[in-house]
Amino acid sequence: MLSALVRRVRAHFDHRDQLAIVFEWCELRSADELFARLKQQGLRGVHEVKLTNNRRTMVSIASRTLRVQEGFLNAPSTVHQAIADFVMARRGAAKLSAQRQIVAHAATIELAPRGRRVERTHPDDAALATRIAEWHQKYNDEKFNSELSMIPIRVSRRMKSRLGHYTPKRTGVAPEIAISRGHFRCHGLEETLHTLLHEMVHQWQDERGLPVDHGTAFRRKARAVGALPTATRALK
Ligand SMILES: [Zn+2]
C-alpha cells in the first residue's frame, strides 16, 4: 500500500518534470532561429550564426560570425545561455563556467549518421504504433480537414525527457512523429493522444511553411483542434 503510494507520488513528479520539459522545449530548425534565441539570451556584436558539422569545433567566433556545432541547435536553454555568456564574457570565471557547460553538453552529443534513422519502433511496440497511426488519420480527418500528410509514427523507448516529438521535413530527412513509450505506459492512451494532437499541430505548421514553435499560430491552431496550449498543461 505504502509502496503503491510512493510510486504514485513518484509518477506524479515524473509527470510534472516531463511537462515542464515540453513547455521549455521549443524546436529550432535553423542557424537564424538559433541566432534569434541567442540574442534573446544577451548575445550582442555578432552579425551571423552558422551551423557546422565539424566535430572538433563546438563554438567559435571570427569576423563577427559565430559558428556553432549543429548538435547545439536543440540543446537545453541553459546551454544556449552558456553560448551567449561565453561570447559576451571577456575572460575570467564567467567565461570559464560557460565553457565548462558547453564542453559538458558536447560530451552528450551523438552525431547521427546522415540519412539513417537513429531508432526504429521496437517490434513489441508495433501494435501501439499502428494504433496511434490510426488516431493520426482520424484526427487528420476530424480536426485538420484531411490536410495533413500521412507520415510514419514511431514509438520510442529511448525518449525519456520528452513526451513526443515531430521531426520537420528537411533535405535528406523524412518527417515523422515520435511518441515516448514511457509516456504511454505512465500516463495512458488519453494523454498520449493529446501529445499526438500537439505534435500534429507542429506537423501542420511545418507543412504550411510556418516556423515549428509554440508561438501565436501554434496556440491558435491548438485551440481550434482542441489541444491545450502547452503552457497551460505545464502550469497544471
Ligand atoms: Zn511542441
Side-chain angles (χ1 to χ4, degrees), residues 35-64:
F35 189 23
R37 174 165 295 179
L38 292 174
K39 279 194 277 195
Q40 283 171 1
Q41 290 176 308
L43 182 74
R44 298 289 179 268
V46 167
H47 287 165
E48 193 184 9
V49 169
K50 284 185 173 171
L51 293 174
T52 78
N53 55 13
N54 181 335
R55 279 169 187 270
R56 284 168 304 172
T57 310
M58 291 174 277
V59 175
S60 72
I61 182 153
S63 315
R64 296 188 170 236

Side-chain angles (χ1 to χ4, degrees), residues 22 25 198-199 202 214 218 230:
V22 168
W25 181 75
H198 178 106
E199 302 309 331
H202 286 317
H214 297 123
F218 178 90
T230 318

Side-chain angles (χ1 to χ4, degrees), residues 121-151:
T121 297
H122 189 281
D124 293 349
D125 301 334
L128 175 60
T130 304
R131 196 168 166 201
I132 298 171
E134 283 164 6
W135 277 96
H136 182 278
Q137 199 160 357
K138 190 172 148 69
Y139 282 159
N140 187 22
D141 293 342
E142 285 175 3
K143 297 169 186 284
F144 292 87
N145 219 4
S146 309
E147 283 172 0
L148 301 182
S149 315
M150 209 163 113
I151 58 168

Side-chain angles (χ1 to χ4, degrees), residues 8-199:
R8 268 184 77 87
V9 170
R10 198 170 292 150
H12 178 69
F13 279 112
D14 286 346
H15 187 66
R16 283 184 60 96
D17 284 345
Q18 287 183 330
L19 289 175
I21 286 160
V22 168
F23 174 52
E24 283 170 17
W25 181 75
C26 187
E27 185 167 281
L28 301 180
R29 290 189 300 176
S30 65
D32 285 346
E33 288 180 11
L34 178 61
F35 189 23
R37 174 165 295 179
L38 292 174
K39 279 194 277 195
Q40 283 171 1
Q41 290 176 308
L43 182 74
R44 298 289 179 268
V46 167
H47 287 165
E48 193 184 9
V49 169
K50 284 185 173 171
L51 293 174
T52 78
N53 55 13
N54 181 335
R55 279 169 187 270
R56 284 168 304 172
T57 310
M58 291 174 277
V59 175
S60 72
I61 182 153
S63 315
R64 296 188 170 236
T65 296
L66 176 64
R67 287 188 168 73
V68 179
Q69 216 279 329
E70 61 187 9
F72 284 83
L73 183 60
N74 280 300
S77 64
T78 50
V79 176
H80 288 158
Q81 185 64 61
I83 294 175
D85 293 349
F86 177 75
V87 176
M88 299 314 290
R90 294 263 172 260
R91 59 182 71 82
K95 189 147 192 130
L96 197 64
S97 147
Q99 193 175 2
R100 279 205 193 106
Q101 284 187 66
I102 292 168
V103 171
H105 178 74
T108 71
I109 296 174
E110 245 182 83
L111 291 180
R114 289 194 183 280
R116 246 185 64 199
R117 281 257 173 270
V118 173
E119 192 195 7
R120 287 171 194 277
T121 297
H122 189 281
D124 293 349
D125 301 334
L128 175 60
T130 304
R131 196 168 166 201
I132 298 171
E134 283 164 6
W135 277 96
H136 182 278
Q137 199 160 357
K138 190 172 148 69
Y139 282 159
N140 187 22
D141 293 342
E142 285 175 3
K143 297 169 186 284
F144 292 87
N145 219 4
S146 309
E147 283 172 0
L148 301 182
S149 315
M150 209 163 113
I151 58 168
I153 306 287
R154 180 165 63 86
V155 171
S156 169
R157 293 193 173 197
R158 249 187 245 166
M159 276 169 63
K160 304 262 186 244
S161 57
R162 280 184 265 155
L163 307 175
H165 176 62
Y166 171 71
T167 303
K169 53 180 178 225
R170 289 186 295 264
T171 342
V173 179
E176 67 161 18
I177 288 174
I179 299 288
S180 157
R181 174 183 179 251
H183 173 40
F184 171 73
R185 286 164 71 99
C186 186
H187 309 127
L189 184 65
E190 198 182 323
E191 282 281 312
T192 304
L193 292 179
H194 202 104
T195 301
L196 171 68
L197 200 50
H198 178 106
E199 302 309 331

